[in-house]
Amino acid sequence: EVQLVESGGGLVQPGRSLKLSCLASGFTFSNYGMNWIRQAPGKGLEWVASISSSSSYIYYADTVKGRFTISRDNAKNTLYLQMTSLRSEDTALYYCARLAYWGQGVMVTVSS
Amino acid sequence: DIQMTQSPSFLSATVGDRVTINCKASQNINKYLNWYQQKLGEAPKRLIYNTNSLQTGIPSRFSGSGSGTDYTLTISSLQPEDVATYFCLQHNSGPLTFGSGTKLEIK
């Protein structure tokens, strides 16, 4: 069974940093590109970042470019999202996703 | 970026009804359109990929169709367990973009 389990969320002050993790199981993680997608409270889904299977290709939404870094460790079956200079508008439920499978999400709240 | 316009936003139907949900893209997305179901508190679940391919394990009452800019998810006979929010996702080009979602309830 494919599982994607996010962790690392929480309450953080504006301007601070947070690192999300996503532990994958049930499939060969190193074969698939992965994504972070978020949903702010009461808002629609927003793609955040993508990374190819070998980390050769990385893409970011303009809203997070220069502040967020997506990475992966294929030996640990884990996807990461390093978030810096966090803003209130980054408050959202963050999903780790292959297109076929999504995690349940982890909440990030940016507030003083 | 490709904009996805999904309709309706809310849908109330009776068990056994045929239900359709639509997504319109701002440009041709070459059938690279997926449909997802999200129940309260659960991870989104892919129902249909690339317009009309049924995900393994998904009941055959779910189907997808479309081409170019216009796509449809159909539930042939609505069941109580289909209460959920449904959304589309395009993965043809540029950033992944999503429909705004359709909340489906049973009358």
Side-chain angles (χ1 to χ4, degrees):
Chain A
E1 180 195 5
V2 171
Q3 283 197 306
L4 296 167
V5 180
E6 302 95 339
S7 60
L11 174 62
V12 62
Q13 293 179 327
R16 302 297 291 263
S17 300
L18 203 61
K19 187 172 186 176
L20 305 183
S21 300
C22 171
L23 179 62
S25 60
F27 66 102
T28 305
F29 180 69
S30 58
N31 285 353
Y32 292 90
M34 297 294 295
N35 307 278
W36 287 101
I37 293 161
R38 68 185 181 183
Q39 187 167 30
K43 303 287 188 182
L45 292 158
E46 179 190 18
W47 167 77
V48 173
S50 296
I51 186 168
S52 63
S53 56
S54 61
S55 306
S56 299
Y57 301 98
I58 289 175
Y59 306 96
Y60 297 99
D62 288 344
T63 51
V64 306
K65 201 174 293 182
R67 300 188 299 122
F68 289 12
T69 302
I70 189 172
S71 62
R72 63 192 296 160
D73 185 334
N74 286 343
K76 295 182 178 179
N77 289 342
T78 303
L79 177 72
Y80 301 101
L81 186 67
Q82 176 70 56
M83 304 183 292
T84 64
S85 303
L86 282 161
R87 307 166 180 168
S88 58
E89 55 265 36
D90 296 317
T91 294
L93 186 63
Y94 284 74
Y95 294 102
C96 159
R98 262 177 62 183
L99 291 193
Y101 300 98
W102 295 47
Q104 287 201 302
V106 61
M107 190 67 200
V108 173
T109 303
V110 183
S111 175
S112 53
Chain B
D1 297 357
I2 297 174
Q3 309 304 314
M4 301 300 298
T5 302
Q6 185 171 340
S7 62
S9 300
F10 180 81
L11 185 53
S12 182
T14 301
V15 171
D17 279 356
R18 182 181 182 88
V19 167
T20 60
I21 298 169
N22 301 292
C23 269
K24 186 176 184 67
S26 58
Q27 64 190 70
N28 181 8
I29 55 171
N30 297 302
K31 297 192 172 186
Y32 288 105
L33 188 286
N34 296 348
W35 289 100
Y36 297 84
Q37 176 193 67
Q38 186 173 24
K39 296 184 178 179
L40 204 60
E42 297 184 8
K45 179 192 298 184
R46 191 173 71 173
L47 304 174
I48 302 287
Y49 61 97
N50 296 343
T51 294
N52 55 17
S53 295
L54 189 66
Q55 181 75 20
T56 302
I58 300 301
S60 59
R61 65 180 180 273
F62 292 93
S63 64
S65 62
S67 64
T69 61
D70 294 295
Y71 298 84
T72 299
L73 173 70
T74 299
I75 307 173
S76 60
S77 178
L78 186 66
Q79 299 301 304
E81 60 266 30
D82 299 336
V83 169
T85 296
Y86 295 82
F87 64 90
C88 62
L89 175 158
Q90 74 80 23
H91 58 104
N92 177 62
S93 63
L96 301 177
T97 50
F98 304 87
S100 54
T102 296
K103 189 171 183 180
L104 176 59
E105 74 159 29
I106 303 290
K107 271 186 195 171

